PDB file of all heavy atoms in Angstrom:
ATOM      1  N   GLU B 197     -31.537 -56.093  66.522  1.00  0.00           N
ATOM      2  CA  GLU B 197     -30.770 -57.221  67.068  1.00  0.00           C
ATOM      3  C   GLU B 197     -31.599 -57.962  68.134  1.00  0.00           C
ATOM      4  O   GLU B 197     -31.688 -59.192  68.122  1.00  0.00           O
ATOM      5  CB  GLU B 197     -29.474 -56.666  67.690  1.00  0.00           C
ATOM      6  CG  GLU B 197     -28.528 -57.679  68.260  1.00  0.00           C
ATOM      7  CD  GLU B 197     -27.418 -57.002  69.078  1.00  0.00           C
ATOM      8  OE1 GLU B 197     -26.981 -55.882  68.740  1.00  0.00           O
ATOM      9  OE2 GLU B 197     -27.000 -57.606  70.078  1.00  0.00           O
ATOM     10  N   ASN B 198     -32.227 -57.187  69.022  1.00  0.00           N
ATOM     11  CA  ASN B 198     -33.010 -57.821  70.087  1.00  0.00           C
ATOM     12  C   ASN B 198     -34.296 -58.458  69.552  1.00  0.00           C
ATOM     13  O   ASN B 198     -34.727 -59.511  70.046  1.00  0.00           O
ATOM     14  CB  ASN B 198     -33.329 -56.794  71.183  1.00  0.00           C
ATOM     15  CG  ASN B 198     -32.108 -56.468  72.026  1.00  0.00           C
ATOM     16  OD1 ASN B 198     -31.079 -57.146  71.922  1.00  0.00           O
ATOM     17  ND2 ASN B 198     -32.194 -55.437  72.857  1.00  0.00           N
ATOM     18  N   LEU B 199     -34.888 -57.842  68.550  1.00  0.00           N
ATOM     19  CA  LEU B 199     -36.064 -58.452  67.915  1.00  0.00           C
ATOM     20  C   LEU B 199     -35.683 -59.799  67.311  1.00  0.00           C
ATOM     21  O   LEU B 199     -36.383 -60.811  67.500  1.00  0.00           O
ATOM     22  CB  LEU B 199     -36.613 -57.517  66.829  1.00  0.00           C
ATOM     23  CG  LEU B 199     -37.688 -58.114  65.911  1.00  0.00           C
ATOM     24  CD1 LEU B 199     -38.922 -58.525  66.701  1.00  0.00           C
ATOM     25  CD2 LEU B 199     -38.061 -57.128  64.808  1.00  0.00           C
ATOM     26  N   SER B 200     -34.564 -59.819  66.601  1.00  0.00           N
ATOM     27  CA  SER B 200     -34.101 -61.047  65.970  1.00  0.00           C
ATOM     28  C   SER B 200     -33.780 -62.111  67.015  1.00  0.00           C
ATOM     29  O   SER B 200     -34.139 -63.288  66.866  1.00  0.00           O
ATOM     30  CB  SER B 200     -32.876 -60.740  65.113  1.00  0.00           C
ATOM     31  OG  SER B 200     -32.346 -61.924  64.564  1.00  0.00           O
ATOM     32  N   THR B 201     -33.124 -61.698  68.086  1.00  0.00           N
ATOM     33  CA  THR B 201     -32.781 -62.631  69.166  1.00  0.00           C
ATOM     34  C   THR B 201     -34.039 -63.228  69.791  1.00  0.00           C
ATOM     35  O   THR B 201     -34.126 -64.435  70.015  1.00  0.00           O
ATOM     36  CB  THR B 201     -31.959 -61.898  70.244  1.00  0.00           C
ATOM     37  OG1 THR B 201     -30.762 -61.414  69.636  1.00  0.00           O
ATOM     38  CG2 THR B 201     -31.609 -62.812  71.384  1.00  0.00           C
ATOM     39  N   ALA B 202     -35.020 -62.379  70.045  1.00  0.00           N
ATOM     40  CA  ALA B 202     -36.265 -62.856  70.670  1.00  0.00           C
ATOM     41  C   ALA B 202     -37.005 -63.807  69.721  1.00  0.00           C
ATOM     42  O   ALA B 202     -37.583 -64.809  70.151  1.00  0.00           O
ATOM     43  CB  ALA B 202     -37.150 -61.674  71.049  1.00  0.00           C
ATOM     44  N   ALA B 203     -36.980 -63.481  68.422  1.00  0.00           N
ATOM     45  CA  ALA B 203     -37.700 -64.304  67.440  1.00  0.00           C
ATOM     46  C   ALA B 203     -37.098 -65.691  67.298  1.00  0.00           C
ATOM     47  O   ALA B 203     -37.798 -66.640  66.938  1.00  0.00           O
ATOM     48  CB  ALA B 203     -37.710 -63.611  66.080  1.00  0.00           C
ATOM     49  N   THR B 204     -35.800 -65.798  67.572  1.00  0.00           N
ATOM     50  CA  THR B 204     -35.121 -67.093  67.379  1.00  0.00           C
ATOM     51  C   THR B 204     -35.016 -67.904  68.667  1.00  0.00           C
ATOM     52  O   THR B 204     -34.349 -68.941  68.686  1.00  0.00           O
ATOM     53  CB  THR B 204     -33.692 -66.881  66.823  1.00  0.00           C
ATOM     54  OG1 THR B 204     -32.997 -65.968  67.671  1.00  0.00           O
ATOM     55  CG2 THR B 204     -33.722 -66.325  65.414  1.00  0.00           C
ATOM     56  N   MET B 205     -35.663 -67.444  69.720  1.00  0.00           N
ATOM     57  CA  MET B 205     -35.574 -68.216  70.966  1.00  0.00           C
ATOM     58  C   MET B 205     -36.162 -69.609  70.771  1.00  0.00           C
ATOM     59  O   MET B 205     -37.076 -69.813  69.981  1.00  0.00           O
ATOM     60  CB  MET B 205     -36.317 -67.483  72.089  1.00  0.00           C
ATOM     61  CG  MET B 205     -35.449 -66.451  72.782  1.00  0.00           C
ATOM     62  SD  MET B 205     -36.092 -66.094  74.434  1.00  0.00           S
ATOM     63  CE  MET B 205     -34.962 -64.797  74.912  1.00  0.00           C
ATOM     64  N   ASN B 206     -35.627 -70.554  71.536  1.00  0.00           N
ATOM     65  CA  ASN B 206     -36.077 -71.945  71.467  1.00  0.00           C
ATOM     66  C   ASN B 206     -37.569 -72.025  71.830  1.00  0.00           C
ATOM     67  O   ASN B 206     -37.965 -71.637  72.930  1.00  0.00           O
ATOM     68  CB  ASN B 206     -35.239 -72.790  72.430  1.00  0.00           C
ATOM     69  CG  ASN B 206     -35.471 -74.268  72.246  1.00  0.00           C
ATOM     70  OD1 ASN B 206     -36.598 -74.727  72.137  1.00  0.00           O
ATOM     71  ND2 ASN B 206     -34.387 -75.024  72.199  1.00  0.00           N
ATOM     72  N   ARG B 207     -38.375 -72.521  70.917  1.00  0.00           N
ATOM     73  CA  ARG B 207     -39.826 -72.506  71.119  1.00  0.00           C
ATOM     74  C   ARG B 207     -40.326 -73.612  72.062  1.00  0.00           C
ATOM     75  O   ARG B 207     -41.500 -73.631  72.443  1.00  0.00           O
ATOM     76  CB  ARG B 207     -40.524 -72.581  69.754  1.00  0.00           C
ATOM     77  CG  ARG B 207     -40.387 -71.281  68.967  1.00  0.00           C
ATOM     78  CD  ARG B 207     -41.161 -71.281  67.657  1.00  0.00           C
ATOM     79  NE  ARG B 207     -40.382 -71.653  66.511  1.00  0.00           N
ATOM     80  CZ  ARG B 207     -39.498 -70.864  65.866  1.00  0.00           C
ATOM     81  NH1 ARG B 207     -39.286 -69.639  66.276  1.00  0.00           N
ATOM     82  NH2 ARG B 207     -38.839 -71.305  64.811  1.00  0.00           N
ATOM     83  N   LEU B 208     -39.443 -74.514  72.433  1.00  0.00           N
ATOM     84  CA  LEU B 208     -39.848 -75.653  73.272  1.00  0.00           C
ATOM     85  C   LEU B 208     -40.411 -75.227  74.635  1.00  0.00           C
ATOM     86  O   LEU B 208     -41.338 -75.845  75.149  1.00  0.00           O
ATOM     87  CB  LEU B 208     -38.630 -76.583  73.474  1.00  0.00           C
ATOM     88  CG  LEU B 208     -38.864 -77.881  74.231  1.00  0.00           C
ATOM     89  CD1 LEU B 208     -39.841 -78.781  73.475  1.00  0.00           C
ATOM     90  CD2 LEU B 208     -37.552 -78.630  74.446  1.00  0.00           C
ATOM     91  N   THR B 209     -39.847 -74.177  75.205  1.00  0.00           N
ATOM     92  CA  THR B 209     -40.290 -73.772  76.550  1.00  0.00           C
ATOM     93  C   THR B 209     -41.544 -72.899  76.510  1.00  0.00           C
ATOM     94  O   THR B 209     -42.195 -72.700  77.540  1.00  0.00           O
ATOM     95  CB  THR B 209     -39.197 -72.958  77.284  1.00  0.00           C
ATOM     96  OG1 THR B 209     -38.956 -71.741  76.556  1.00  0.00           O
ATOM     97  CG2 THR B 209     -37.900 -73.742  77.397  1.00  0.00           C
ATOM     98  N   ILE B 210     -41.827 -72.332  75.350  1.00  0.00           N
ATOM     99  CA  ILE B 210     -42.830 -71.261  75.240  1.00  0.00           C
ATOM    100  C   ILE B 210     -44.169 -71.773  74.709  1.00  0.00           C
ATOM    101  O   ILE B 210     -45.228 -71.334  75.149  1.00  0.00           O
ATOM    102  CB  ILE B 210     -42.272 -70.162  74.297  1.00  0.00           C
ATOM    103  CG1 ILE B 210     -41.044 -69.489  74.919  1.00  0.00           C
ATOM    104  CG2 ILE B 210     -43.338 -69.137  73.948  1.00  0.00           C
ATOM    105  CD1 ILE B 210     -41.342 -68.689  76.170  1.00  0.00           C
ATOM    106  N   TRP B 211     -44.101 -72.691  73.761  1.00  0.00           N
ATOM    107  CA  TRP B 211     -45.316 -73.166  73.091  1.00  0.00           C
ATOM    108  C   TRP B 211     -45.625 -74.576  73.558  1.00  0.00           C
ATOM    109  O   TRP B 211     -45.616 -75.524  72.766  1.00  0.00           O
ATOM    110  CB  TRP B 211     -45.147 -73.090  71.567  1.00  0.00           C
ATOM    111  CG  TRP B 211     -44.858 -71.695  71.122  1.00  0.00           C
ATOM    112  CD1 TRP B 211     -43.653 -71.169  70.771  1.00  0.00           C
ATOM    113  CD2 TRP B 211     -45.799 -70.614  71.022  1.00  0.00           C
ATOM    114  NE1 TRP B 211     -43.787 -69.834  70.463  1.00  0.00           N
ATOM    115  CE2 TRP B 211     -45.093 -69.470  70.600  1.00  0.00           C
ATOM    116  CE3 TRP B 211     -47.186 -70.515  71.257  1.00  0.00           C
ATOM    117  CZ2 TRP B 211     -45.714 -68.229  70.412  1.00  0.00           C
ATOM    118  CZ3 TRP B 211     -47.798 -69.287  71.061  1.00  0.00           C
ATOM    119  CH2 TRP B 211     -47.070 -68.163  70.638  1.00  0.00           C
ATOM    120  N   ILE B 212     -45.898 -74.704  74.845  1.00  0.00           N
ATOM    121  CA  ILE B 212     -46.154 -76.027  75.423  1.00  0.00           C
ATOM    122  C   ILE B 212     -47.622 -76.397  75.222  1.00  0.00           C
ATOM    123  O   ILE B 212     -48.518 -75.610  75.559  1.00  0.00           O
ATOM    124  CB  ILE B 212     -45.771 -76.018  76.924  1.00  0.00           C
ATOM    125  CG1 ILE B 212     -44.243 -75.872  77.051  1.00  0.00           C
ATOM    126  CG2 ILE B 212     -46.276 -77.263  77.624  1.00  0.00           C
ATOM    127  CD1 ILE B 212     -43.743 -75.729  78.462  1.00  0.00           C
ATOM    128  N   GLU B 213     -47.857 -77.579  74.655  1.00  0.00           N
ATOM    129  CA  GLU B 213     -49.235 -78.031  74.424  1.00  0.00           C
ATOM    130  C   GLU B 213     -49.987 -78.076  75.748  1.00  0.00           C
ATOM    131  O   GLU B 213     -49.444 -78.501  76.772  1.00  0.00           O
ATOM    132  CB  GLU B 213     -49.231 -79.431  73.766  1.00  0.00           C
ATOM    133  CG  GLU B 213     -50.607 -79.827  73.277  1.00  0.00           C
ATOM    134  CD  GLU B 213     -50.561 -80.931  72.215  1.00  0.00           C
ATOM    135  OE1 GLU B 213     -49.465 -81.464  71.956  1.00  0.00           O
ATOM    136  OE2 GLU B 213     -51.631 -81.230  71.651  1.00  0.00           O
ATOM    137  N   GLY B 214     -51.228 -77.609  75.722  1.00  0.00           N
ATOM    138  CA  GLY B 214     -52.013 -77.540  76.950  1.00  0.00           C
ATOM    139  C   GLY B 214     -51.923 -76.176  77.604  1.00  0.00           C
ATOM    140  O   GLY B 214     -52.361 -76.009  78.742  1.00  0.00           O
ATOM    141  N   SER B 215     -51.351 -75.198  76.909  1.00  0.00           N
ATOM    142  CA  SER B 215     -51.276 -73.834  77.467  1.00  0.00           C
ATOM    143  C   SER B 215     -52.007 -72.847  76.549  1.00  0.00           C
ATOM    144  O   SER B 215     -51.758 -71.645  76.614  1.00  0.00           O
ATOM    145  CB  SER B 215     -49.814 -73.410  77.651  1.00  0.00           C
ATOM    146  OG  SER B 215     -49.171 -73.236  76.391  1.00  0.00           O
ATOM    147  N   GLY B 216     -52.896 -73.366  75.705  1.00  0.00           N
ATOM    148  CA  GLY B 216     -53.627 -72.501  74.780  1.00  0.00           C
ATOM    149  C   GLY B 216     -55.017 -72.150  75.289  1.00  0.00           C
ATOM    150  O   GLY B 216     -55.369 -72.437  76.444  1.00  0.00           O
ATOM    151  N   VAL B 217     -55.800 -71.523  74.433  1.00  0.00           N
ATOM    152  CA  VAL B 217     -57.176 -71.136  74.750  1.00  0.00           C
ATOM    153  C   VAL B 217     -57.940 -72.360  75.275  1.00  0.00           C
ATOM    154  O   VAL B 217     -57.883 -73.429  74.672  1.00  0.00           O
ATOM    155  CB  VAL B 217     -57.874 -70.591  73.483  1.00  0.00           C
ATOM    156  CG1 VAL B 217     -59.362 -70.405  73.732  1.00  0.00           C
ATOM    157  CG2 VAL B 217     -57.236 -69.283  73.039  1.00  0.00           C
ATOM    158  N   GLY B 218     -58.625 -72.202  76.394  1.00  0.00           N
ATOM    159  CA  GLY B 218     -59.402 -73.302  76.964  1.00  0.00           C
ATOM    160  C   GLY B 218     -58.638 -74.076  78.018  1.00  0.00           C
ATOM    161  O   GLY B 218     -59.238 -74.769  78.838  1.00  0.00           O
ATOM    162  N   SER B 219     -57.301 -73.973  78.002  1.00  0.00           N
ATOM    163  CA  SER B 219     -56.483 -74.706  78.980  1.00  0.00           C
ATOM    164  C   SER B 219     -55.832 -73.771  79.993  1.00  0.00           C
ATOM    165  O   SER B 219     -55.350 -74.211  81.032  1.00  0.00           O
ATOM    166  CB  SER B 219     -55.379 -75.489  78.267  1.00  0.00           C
ATOM    167  OG  SER B 219     -55.929 -76.368  77.316  1.00  0.00           O
ATOM    168  N   ALA B 220     -55.762 -72.481  79.670  1.00  0.00           N
ATOM    169  CA  ALA B 220     -55.098 -71.517  80.564  1.00  0.00           C
ATOM    170  C   ALA B 220     -55.785 -70.169  80.445  1.00  0.00           C
ATOM    171  O   ALA B 220     -56.479 -69.890  79.460  1.00  0.00           O
ATOM    172  CB  ALA B 220     -53.620 -71.401  80.196  1.00  0.00           C
ATOM    173  N   GLU B 221     -55.580 -69.341  81.447  1.00  0.00           N
ATOM    174  CA  GLU B 221     -56.161 -67.997  81.453  1.00  0.00           C
ATOM    175  C   GLU B 221     -55.256 -67.015  80.725  1.00  0.00           C
ATOM    176  O   GLU B 221     -54.045 -67.198  80.691  1.00  0.00           O
ATOM    177  CB  GLU B 221     -56.342 -67.516  82.905  1.00  0.00           C
ATOM    178  CG  GLU B 221     -57.386 -68.276  83.696  1.00  0.00           C
ATOM    179  CD  GLU B 221     -58.800 -68.109  83.141  1.00  0.00           C
ATOM    180  OE1 GLU B 221     -59.193 -66.970  82.845  1.00  0.00           O
ATOM    181  OE2 GLU B 221     -59.497 -69.136  82.975  1.00  0.00           O
ATOM    182  N   GLY B 222     -55.887 -65.981  80.170  1.00  0.00           N
ATOM    183  CA  GLY B 222     -55.111 -64.861  79.639  1.00  0.00           C
ATOM    184  C   GLY B 222     -54.317 -65.175  78.389  1.00  0.00           C
ATOM    185  O   GLY B 222     -53.298 -64.534  78.125  1.00  0.00           O
ATOM    186  N   THR B 223     -54.771 -66.145  77.613  1.00  0.00           N
ATOM    187  CA  THR B 223     -54.056 -66.478  76.378  1.00  0.00           C
ATOM    188  C   THR B 223     -55.007 -66.472  75.191  1.00  0.00           C
ATOM    189  O   THR B 223     -56.207 -66.736  75.347  1.00  0.00           O
ATOM    190  CB  THR B 223     -53.362 -67.853  76.468  1.00  0.00           C
ATOM    191  OG1 THR B 223     -52.641 -68.081  75.255  1.00  0.00           O
ATOM    192  CG2 THR B 223     -54.356 -68.976  76.677  1.00  0.00           C
ATOM    193  N   ARG B 224     -54.474 -66.147  74.022  1.00  0.00           N
ATOM    194  CA  ARG B 224     -55.241 -66.208  72.773  1.00  0.00           C
ATOM    195  C   ARG B 224     -54.605 -67.218  71.820  1.00  0.00           C
ATOM    196  O   ARG B 224     -54.899 -67.228  70.630  1.00  0.00           O
ATOM    197  CB  ARG B 224     -55.290 -64.809  72.136  1.00  0.00           C
ATOM    198  CG  ARG B 224     -56.113 -63.820  72.959  1.00  0.00           C
ATOM    199  CD  ARG B 224     -55.807 -62.366  72.591  1.00  0.00           C
ATOM    200  NE  ARG B 224     -56.174 -62.046  71.244  1.00  0.00           N
ATOM    201  CZ  ARG B 224     -55.817 -60.891  70.629  1.00  0.00           C
ATOM    202  NH1 ARG B 224     -55.106 -59.978  71.291  1.00  0.00           N
ATOM    203  NH2 ARG B 224     -56.170 -60.657  69.405  1.00  0.00           N
ATOM    204  N   ALA B 225     -53.746 -68.090  72.361  1.00  0.00           N
ATOM    205  CA  ALA B 225     -53.055 -69.096  71.543  1.00  0.00           C
ATOM    206  C   ALA B 225     -54.051 -70.160  71.080  1.00  0.00           C
ATOM    207  O   ALA B 225     -54.646 -70.860  71.899  1.00  0.00           O
ATOM    208  CB  ALA B 225     -51.925 -69.732  72.351  1.00  0.00           C
ATOM    209  N   LYS B 226     -54.250 -70.272  69.755  1.00  0.00           N
ATOM    210  CA  LYS B 226     -55.233 -71.200  69.203  1.00  0.00           C
ATOM    211  C   LYS B 226     -54.706 -72.638  69.177  1.00  0.00           C
ATOM    212  O   LYS B 226     -53.496 -72.863  69.064  1.00  0.00           O
ATOM    213  CB  LYS B 226     -55.601 -70.770  67.775  1.00  0.00           C
ATOM    214  CG  LYS B 226     -56.531 -69.573  67.741  1.00  0.00           C
ATOM    215  CD  LYS B 226     -56.642 -68.967  66.358  1.00  0.00           C
ATOM    216  CE  LYS B 226     -57.465 -69.830  65.419  1.00  0.00           C
ATOM    217  NZ  LYS B 226     -57.698 -69.116  64.121  1.00  0.00           N
ATOM    218  N   PRO B 227     -55.638 -73.627  69.247  1.00  0.00           N
ATOM    219  CA  PRO B 227     -55.232 -75.044  69.204  1.00  0.00           C
ATOM    220  C   PRO B 227     -54.468 -75.386  67.926  1.00  0.00           C
ATOM    221  O   PRO B 227     -53.700 -76.349  67.900  1.00  0.00           O
ATOM    222  CB  PRO B 227     -56.564 -75.806  69.229  1.00  0.00           C
ATOM    223  CG  PRO B 227     -57.601 -74.832  69.641  1.00  0.00           C
ATOM    224  CD  PRO B 227     -57.104 -73.461  69.349  1.00  0.00           C
ATOM    225  N   ASP B 228     -54.681 -74.595  66.867  1.00  0.00           N
ATOM    226  CA  ASP B 228     -54.006 -74.844  65.587  1.00  0.00           C
ATOM    227  C   ASP B 228     -52.479 -74.849  65.724  1.00  0.00           C
ATOM    228  O   ASP B 228     -51.776 -75.447  64.901  1.00  0.00           O
ATOM    229  CB  ASP B 228     -54.412 -73.778  64.563  1.00  0.00           C
ATOM    230  CG  ASP B 228     -55.926 -73.612  64.489  1.00  0.00           C
ATOM    231  OD1 ASP B 228     -56.504 -73.196  65.509  1.00  0.00           O
ATOM    232  OD2 ASP B 228     -56.495 -73.909  63.430  1.00  0.00           O
ATOM    233  N   ILE B 229     -51.974 -74.146  66.740  1.00  0.00           N
ATOM    234  CA  ILE B 229     -50.521 -74.137  66.972  1.00  0.00           C
ATOM    235  C   ILE B 229     -50.009 -75.566  67.136  1.00  0.00           C
ATOM    236  O   ILE B 229     -48.931 -75.908  66.637  1.00  0.00           O
ATOM    237  CB  ILE B 229     -50.192 -73.292  68.229  1.00  0.00           C
ATOM    238  CG1 ILE B 229     -50.471 -71.818  67.948  1.00  0.00           C
ATOM    239  CG2 ILE B 229     -48.765 -73.523  68.706  1.00  0.00           C
ATOM    240  CD1 ILE B 229     -50.534 -70.944  69.195  1.00  0.00           C
TER     241      ILE B 229
END
Side-chain angles (χ1 to χ4, degrees):
Chain B
E197 182 191 326
N198 286 349
L199 170 61
S200 176
T201 299
T204 53
M205 274 202 184
N206 190 314
R207 288 185 265 283
L208 184 63
T209 63
I210 294 294
W211 301 102
I212 292 175
E213 191 160 7
S215 68
V217 171
S219 303
E221 292 296 314
T223 182
R224 292 162 64 190
K226 284 167 73 173
D228 310 64
I229 291 165

